[in-house]
Each structure stands twice: as C-alpha cells, then as structure tokens.
Amino acid sequence: MSTPVSVSGSTARARDRRLLGRTPAATLSGLLVLASLGAGAAPALAQPGAGAASVVRPHVAPDQPENPADSTTPAEPSLPEQLEEAVESEAAATVSGHADPTSRSERAELASGGSLWIPFAVPTGTTPLEFTAQVSLLAGDPEARVQVSSERRHLGTVSPADGEIRLALSGEDVFDGTVNLVFSLPWDTGRVCWVASETAQREQGTRIAITDASLDYAGEAAPPETVDTFLSPWVERVDVVTGGDPELLGAGLSAVAAAAHRLGNGSSVSLDAPAAEEVSPVEQRVIAFEAGNGPTATRIDADDRGVPRLIVSGAPEELATAAAALGSAGLPLASAAQTEGLASAAATHPDDALSLTLDELGTASVSLRGYGVTDSFISVPQDAFGGPVDGYTLHLTGAVSTIESVTIASAEVLWNDVLVDTLPVDAAEPRIDREIEIPASSVEASNGLVVRLTAVAAGGECIDESLLPQVRLDLDTRASTVTAHRGQAARPGFDRFPQTLGGALTVATGSDSPSTAEVQAAGSVVAALQRVSSRQLAITVDSAQQLIDSSRPGLLVGATAEQANALRTPLRLDHFRTFAPSGSTELTVAVDQPYAALMALESGDRDLLVVGGWAPEGSAPDDLIASVTGDLDGTDWYSLSGVLRFQAEGDDEPELLDINAVVPQQEYRDDYTWLAWAAAGALVLLLVIVAIAAASRRRRLVATRQVEAEAASAASTTQVGAAEEGSAGTRSAAAVDPDAVAAAPTGDSAVGADAAVDPGADEAERRTDGS
C-alpha cells in the first residue's frame, strides 16, 4: 500500500506536490494531474525522475460553461490543444501508465469548480473495457455530480453517494495509446460569496476523493518488436543483467539510469537482482549484456519465462554508451529489433546556463481565472541548473484583466509554501513585471513555485457568478524566468543529492571483484538518484582509489575500513563507534554486531555516497547491505535525511541518523592530535641529539686514528733506517773478524740485544703490530 496522496481544492498545493512527486514507485498506476476546469487554473506536476521534458501539461476545456451549475445538461469537455500536445510529445510517452486490471491505492481529491485527469497507457494489441474506482465524500454535498469524460466523449456522471465508479470504455477512448479520463466537479450553487464568510465555506466546500483507480482491458498485448518500443510506458519492472562480470558494471549501471529516466516513477529497475516471483510479459522487461568484440548489436527475444528480453552485445568499452542510448530522446530512430552501433554521447550542460524559463521548466501555460481560489504549480528542481544552488531570482511577466469595483482580487507568489511576494491585480496596472529574490534559507533540492489568484465579490452577500465580470491572470511562460545563483545551500548529507552531481555520477567498488550484493546496491542507489534527477545521469566507473584521489562527486559501494578512513566518513567501518546525540554527552562503544550503512558525506570540495559495513569476520553481510540500499527502489530519495542510513544485525529496519548524531571518526581521533604531535616532537628532538653525539664521536675517532697512523708511519721509517744501519755494521765486522760473526747471538737474544741498544725501535714495532 502506498502513502495516500491528497490534493486539496481545484489545484495542487506545494505541500502536496512533495507527496505526488514522491509516492513509492511500485504502487503508481499513472500520474494524477489536477487542473481547474471551471476556474481555469493550470497546475502542472512533474515526475522528478523524468525531468522537465516529462511534465504533463494541464488543460482547460474550452467548451465547458463558465459556470457549470447554470447548465442543465452534463457538460462534455474535450481535451484541448495543450493536452493533445502533451500526449503527442515524448513527455507523454514517458508517463508511466498501468494496464493491469488490479486496483491501486493512489488517491486524489477534487473540489468544487475544479477538475483532474488521469492518463492510462494501453498496451499495444489490447482494448480498454472498463474503468473502476472508489469515490467518497470528504465535505459538502453528498449529491454533488462528478462528470467523467474521455478525450472524445462524455462517459457518465457519478456521485459520492454511489461509492463506486464503473464506466464502460472502448477503443474509441484511446488516443495515441493512452486513455485520458477527465473528472470535473461544478460549483455547488454557482454563487460567489465573501471569502471569509461561513456561507462561502458551506456553499463552496464540497470535496470528494477518488481512490483505487484501475483499467480493465481485453486482448493479448503484442510483444515489443523494436528497440524503441521495448521500454513501453506500461512497463513496471526492468531487470538489468550483467552476469556478475565486473567489465560490464558500467553498462549495467548506465542501463539502470536510462530505464529509470525513460519510465519515471512508475517503474522498478534493478541490476543483477533475483527474478521476480510473479511473471507478467506485459509489464516486465529484461535487458541483458554480453561481452564480445566489435560494435554493439541488439536483438530481441524472450527468456525462459516468456518475458521480453533485449540482448546488447559488443566490446565492453562500447556497451556503456549503448546502454545510455536506451534513455535517449532519439531512440525512435532505432526502429528495428536488430541494430548495430547503438551509442549515445553524454549530454553537456554548461554551468553558466543558470537561467530557465517556466516553459523550459515544464510549465507551458499559467492562466488563472474565475472566482474563489485558483493557483498554478511550477516544479523547480535544483539539479535542472547543472549543480548546487544557494538562491534564485524570479522574473515574472504577464497581465491581469480589468477588475471592477464589485470584485476584490489579489495574487500571491509562494515558494515552498512560504509567501514571498504579492502581484498587483489592479485595473491601473494591467501588466505584471516583477523580480523576486529567493534566499538560500528557502532553497530545497526540489522546489515548488505557486502563483495563486483569489477573487471574491465585494460585500458579504453571495452573488450569481454569471453576473460578475471575468477575473483572469496570465503569465508569459516563455518570458518569465528562474535564475539560479551557484552555491551550496544544503548542509552535508542526503539533502545535497542529486543536485551536487551536476548530471554525472562516478561509481566505484571497494574491490575489483564486487559481490553480487554490492552490485545490486549500486544499481539500487543509481535508480533512486535517477528518479529525482531532471536529466539522465551520465554514469562512469572508476576504481576506488581513483575516486578517492579525484575531486568528482560519486558513489563508493563496498568500501573497506581503509578507504572509509581515507575519505573521513561519518562512521568508521570498524568494531567501535562514537555517538554524540545533540545535547548529550559523547559515547564510544565497541560492539561485535555486524552492521551496514549508507553514508552521505562531504569529502574536500565534493560530496560522496558510501556504502559499507563491518562484521567480526570481515566485510558486512550481504543481507545488511541489501537492507540499507535495496529498498531504495521503492523509497523516495527525498524521504532520506541526515548523513547516515544505518542498520545493525537484529534491527528490523534501517535507521536514519542526523549529522549531529555521529561524530566523524577521523575527526574524533584528531581531538587528541596535540598529544601525538608532542610525542613526535620529543622523539625527533631525541633523535637529533643522538645523531649529533654520534657524529661528534665519529669525528673524534677519525682524528685519533689519523694521528696514530701518522705516528706509526714515522716509527716504521725510523726502525727501517736503524735496521739498515745495523746490518751494514755487522757486514763490516764480519769481514774484519769472521770469528766475531760466528759468535754473535741469534733469535730472541738478538732482538733483546737490539732492544737494549734502541728501546724506541721496540716501541715502534709494538705499535705497528697493534700490541
């Protein structure tokens, strides 16, 4: 069951815009769009995942009476040119429809004087048979009549008292593959009262709710026959398969981004996930990649369950661009099942393109008319401007009709539910030309601009609206602009995504061979980011070290403890953690429970998403990794807050922690760095002293050895001279007296005799010997 979506009155309020744009994708049946038919409001609701091009244009039926209550016959509104243009455009083609006859819990409210329309995509080869829904009264007249029409004919009138809507359909109600159902609720009495009176609340207060809308159809849906029609608007699940080949990770992630961008919020896109238990060849698709050689080639077949499968083969380095082409606006050129050379270059979005018109933001018309309160909603996603923004300047131009004295009218401009300015509604100033500054404190990742017209009859009585002059306010959507100021308004955390990406996402894994759970986690995060991105993300894959060393924003899946420390993540991937709840004392705790976390952090001048965990035996278990990331496929990214999505073993579900709830672990250690620096300084000083002492000792030793060597050399020279002189004297004595030579002592006696004669020679000889 999805969260009920509520839209009050005849228009879409900014507070409800967040709900409509962020309903879990798995339960969406179609896009519920409100338009004020009797009052002429023209709100436009954008699908965040599909971007500005996928905004469905509102409409005003030209043949609807200005005061439906004065008409005695049911009005039969036809779809105007604005709706026809939307249906024919790629925007309409990307709106996710639902052809399955099961009911959904999508909810919308309709008030007096307003209308809403619901588009349903009809599978090729089938014919719609019946539309069913539940209708209930929220306030006002239980007998109020709701008129229901398709594009070409009036289908019937229902009342809240009926409780159920059952309307027969046929092929006549299908236009360009879509059934567009329009619901309108006329004014209760046709009288306009003083806005502050209780009478006005009673007479203009009827509100009804429509829920569980579904469409039954007959026939067998034709399988896709071309690459262009493979991702049809009624597709709800896409399984991208790479077979666990790391070389194909880039292609798989690019295909995830392309499919999520093309199908919008009404789809579930996964990477290498287990096959679905329930099989529906109409609503399911498989995109499989095969590594090979040469240019890319495509072919279409069916897997063993009968689900249509698109096989893309070729060189791994070429497959990523082929996958990105699956979300391209030029895909209709691929009008065959077998193609070659499919590729799409990444779009360039210069940072200086900071000014967009309301038309470029997806709102083709802003025309407010009639009495009561009417308004128009314009979606302003921050990432549409190519990067983070810390303020806006609105320039609104247009005109208002002449206001008679019997009418009191005012116009307000609201930004994210906050009044930022009032526009002049005065006969003296028919032209509107106003600049409005939006400060950083009012900037969100996805912003809502509302222009609201309030017109009432002067005095306290209720007056027949047909007797009052027309009240109208129109804005020139091609001249009115929103100019962004580059900067960062959001604090670090999930709130900085997707705008911080600038349309490009670098993905890395902690190891060269990521586990299946890590690959699935990467696909889940990419799909979640794509659904809130106004443009298709350009995906690149790098190594973990390349991402750590770079200055680009990105996603690291399966991070190790060393990689987390290098990035200074909010939570260390280790067995102990430090918590510091706001207003509480700091707590450090060591645990042996495995855990996993999805972290959003600021690293240097860029923002990163990191998926990792810890367990006593090593990395985090796959089931915890899957838990903190896997359900992102059905969770709106904007529901994430803070910096950390954490789950420990035994926890029922992940928990979101704010930026003040976890002390960045690296910074926690840095609190005591002065001790480390003091110890390091003392060690360095000690080493310097030891080095100086050693050098001095070495110099003394060298000097001593040099002196001793010189003395030894001199003594050796003296000894040699004395020995030569003694030898010469002996030879002379022997020649004179041979008997004396024979009687001369030998061996030690001779040495002793020499020593007795020359003691210095003996000392020199001992020094030479080292004794």
Side-chain angles (χ1 to χ4, degrees):
M1 297 289 289
S2 65
T3 302
V5 176
S6 172
V7 180
S8 301
S10 62
T11 56
R13 309 299 187 200
R15 61 180 177 275
D16 300 321
R17 176 264 312 174
R18 298 185 182 90
L19 291 175
L20 284 170
R22 302 175 184 180
T23 303
T27 61
L28 285 176
S29 62
L31 185 63
L32 300 184
V33 181
L34 297 183
S36 179
L37 198 57
L45 298 180
Q47 291 189 79
S54 67
V55 175
V56 181
R57 310 295 191 227
H59 69 280
V60 177
D63 57 346
Q64 178 75 3
E66 290 187 2
N67 183 5
D70 293 340
S71 177
T72 58
T73 60
E76 298 185 15
S78 63
L79 231 53
E81 294 179 357
Q82 287 181 357
L83 180 57
E84 291 179 5
E85 293 174 359
V87 172
E88 294 173 354
S89 67
E90 180 196 9
T94 59
V95 174
S96 178
H98 196 301
D100 192 285
T102 58
S103 63
R104 279 86 59 193
S105 58
E106 188 71 22
R107 172 189 175 97
E109 292 184 11
L110 181 61
S112 299
S115 71
L116 66 85
W117 62 271
I118 310 175
F120 285 90
V122 179
T124 304
T126 66
T127 301
L129 294 180
E130 186 180 47
F131 168 77
T132 60
Q134 297 296 317
V135 57
S136 58
L137 180 69
L138 299 178
D141 184 7
E143 299 299 327
R145 311 303 292 174
V146 179
Q147 302 167 7
V148 186
S149 303
S150 69
E151 182 179 352
R152 291 186 173 91
R153 64 191 181 109
H154 177 69
L155 297 176
T157 302
V158 297
S159 171
D162 298 335
E164 183 180 21
I165 302 174
R166 302 187 70 90
L167 299 172
L169 301 174
S170 67
E172 181 184 358
D173 301 308
V174 181
F175 177 81
D176 198 17
T178 305
V179 172
N180 298 287
L181 299 178
V182 182
F183 300 79
S184 60
L185 179 62
W187 292 108
D188 291 349
T189 63
R191 292 187 294 172
V192 178
C193 307
W194 182 255
V195 72
S197 69
E198 295 182 0
T199 303
Q201 297 299 319
R202 288 197 306 270
E203 298 196 5
Q204 299 185 24
T206 298
R207 291 168 41 239
I208 64 171
I210 298 176
T211 58
D212 299 333
S214 66
L215 191 73
D216 290 335
Y217 63 95
E220 184 174 351
E225 297 180 351
T226 68
V227 175
D228 171 40
T229 60
F230 186 79
L231 295 177
S232 302
W234 52 83
V235 172
E236 292 191 345
R237 176 181 173 120
V238 179
D239 295 324
V240 181
V241 180
T242 67
D245 187 347
E247 289 188 335
L248 300 180
L249 179 61
L253 293 174
S254 295
V256 168
H261 175 68
R262 187 174 178 87
L263 298 176
N265 283 343
S267 64
S268 171
V269 185
S270 60
L271 177 61
D272 287 339
E277 296 181 359
E278 297 182 2
V279 178
S280 174
V282 176
E283 300 169 355
Q284 296 177 13
R285 296 290 187 268
V286 174
I287 301 175
F289 292 93
E290 295 179 350
N293 298 314
T296 57
T298 65
R299 67 182 188 274
I300 296 176
D301 64 6
D303 64 10
D304 54 4
R305 302 171 301 157
V307 176
R309 177 175 59 182
L310 174 66
I311 301 176
V312 187
S313 60
E317 60 273 14
E318 304 291 338
L319 290 179
T321 57
L326 297 177
S328 171
L331 196 62
L333 297 175
S335 56
Q338 296 182 354
T339 66
E340 289 188 359
L342 182 65
S344 175
T348 56
H349 303 277
D351 287 343
D352 56 357
L354 295 179
S355 184
L356 297 174
T357 66
L358 299 186
D359 183 65
E360 290 171 333
L361 286 169
T363 301
S365 173
V366 175
S367 182
L368 309 179
R369 66 188 75 178
Y371 285 82
V373 180
T374 60
D375 59 20
S376 181
F377 175 84
I378 300 101
S379 178
V380 186
Q382 191 177 146
D383 78 310
F385 299 89
V389 171
D390 66 358
Y392 295 94
T393 299
L394 308 182
H395 181 207
L396 302 180
T397 64
V400 295
S401 59
T402 301
I403 306 299
E404 301 291 342
S405 58
V406 295
T407 302
I408 298 175
S410 64
E412 300 171 335
V413 180
L414 297 94
W415 183 273
N416 293 336
D417 295 333
V418 176
L419 180 66
V420 294
D421 200 2
T422 57
L423 301 179
V425 181
D426 190 341
E429 297 183 39
R431 296 293 305 172
I432 296 174
D433 191 352
R434 184 66 64 93
E435 280 200 356
I436 306 169
E437 295 296 329
I438 306 298
S441 58
S442 299
V443 175
E444 297 180 3
S446 180
N447 304 275
L449 169 63
V450 173
V451 181
R452 176 175 297 160
L453 173 66
T454 302
V456 297
E461 297 182 357
C462 294
I463 303 174
D464 192 324
E465 187 181 11
S466 62
L467 302 177
L468 293 173
Q470 177 74 5
V471 180
R472 179 169 178 171
L473 183 154
D474 288 354
L475 292 182
D476 185 347
T477 58
R478 295 188 178 182
S480 299
T481 60
V482 180
T483 301
H485 309 303
R486 181 68 70 229
Q488 185 59 265
R491 63 181 184 176
F494 295 116
D495 291 340
R496 289 191 174 182
F497 293 87
Q499 65 270 14
T500 190
L501 300 177
L505 175 63
T506 300
V507 181
T509 57
S511 64
D512 295 334
S513 300
S515 67
T516 301
E518 292 170 351
V519 172
Q520 293 172 357
S524 182
V525 175
V526 169
L529 288 172
Q530 183 61 73
R531 289 191 184 91
V532 292
S533 298
S534 61
R535 63 186 70 176
Q536 183 176 336
L537 295 175
I539 306 295
T540 57
V541 175
D542 279 343
S543 68
Q545 194 58 49
Q546 287 174 320
L547 179 60
I548 292 172
D549 294 339
S550 74
S551 59
R552 302 187 304 272
L555 165 66
L556 175 59
V557 178
T560 65
E562 293 76 13
Q563 293 162 354
N565 286 341
L567 292 172
R568 300 172 65 87
T569 57
L571 185 67
R572 251 181 100 191
L573 301 181
D574 207 334
H575 72 287
F576 67 88
R577 303 190 291 274
T578 301
F579 294 91
S582 180
S584 177
T585 57
E586 196 170 277
L587 170 67
T588 300
V589 59
V591 296
D592 293 329
Q593 280 184 315
Y595 65 87
L598 167 63
M599 296 177 275
L601 63 135
E602 185 179 51
S603 179
D605 294 330
R606 44 82 181 265
D607 294 282
L608 294 174
L609 294 169
V610 176
V611 178
W614 176 87
E617 62 275 8
S619 59
D622 289 348
D623 59 338
L624 292 177
I625 291 290
S627 183
V628 296
T629 60
D631 64 343
L632 290 177
D633 192 47
T635 300
D636 171 30
W637 182 268
Y638 291 126
S639 66
L640 303 179
S641 62
V643 300
L644 188 64
R645 197 171 195 239
F646 174 87
Q647 184 171 2
E649 190 173 64
D651 293 345
D652 293 334
E653 59 185 19
E655 179 182 3
L656 287 170
L657 298 178
D658 203 355
I659 193 168
N660 293 323
V662 179
V663 175
Q665 303 296 287
Q666 191 70 32
E667 294 181 12
Y668 178 76
R669 291 200 304 271
D670 289 348
D671 290 344
Y672 300 95
T673 51
W674 66 272
L675 293 175
W677 282 112
L683 179 60
V684 170
L685 181 60
L686 179 61
L687 291 176
V688 170
I689 294 174
V690 171
I692 293 174
S696 177
R697 183 173 177 274
R698 256 193 324 272
R699 286 195 298 271
R700 288 196 303 270
L701 182 60
V702 169
T704 301
R705 288 178 178 175
Q706 184 176 359
V707 171
E708 290 176 348
E710 291 175 355
S713 176
S716 176
T717 302
T718 302
Q719 181 180 1
V720 170
E724 291 178 350
E725 182 179 354
S727 176
T730 303
R731 286 195 300 271
S732 299
V736 175
D737 190 357
D739 294 335
V741 174
T746 60
D748 294 339
S749 299
V751 173
D754 292 340
V757 174
D758 189 1
D762 182 63
E763 178 66 18
E765 183 177 356
R766 285 197 302 272
R767 288 182 179 178
T768 303
D769 295 339
S771 59

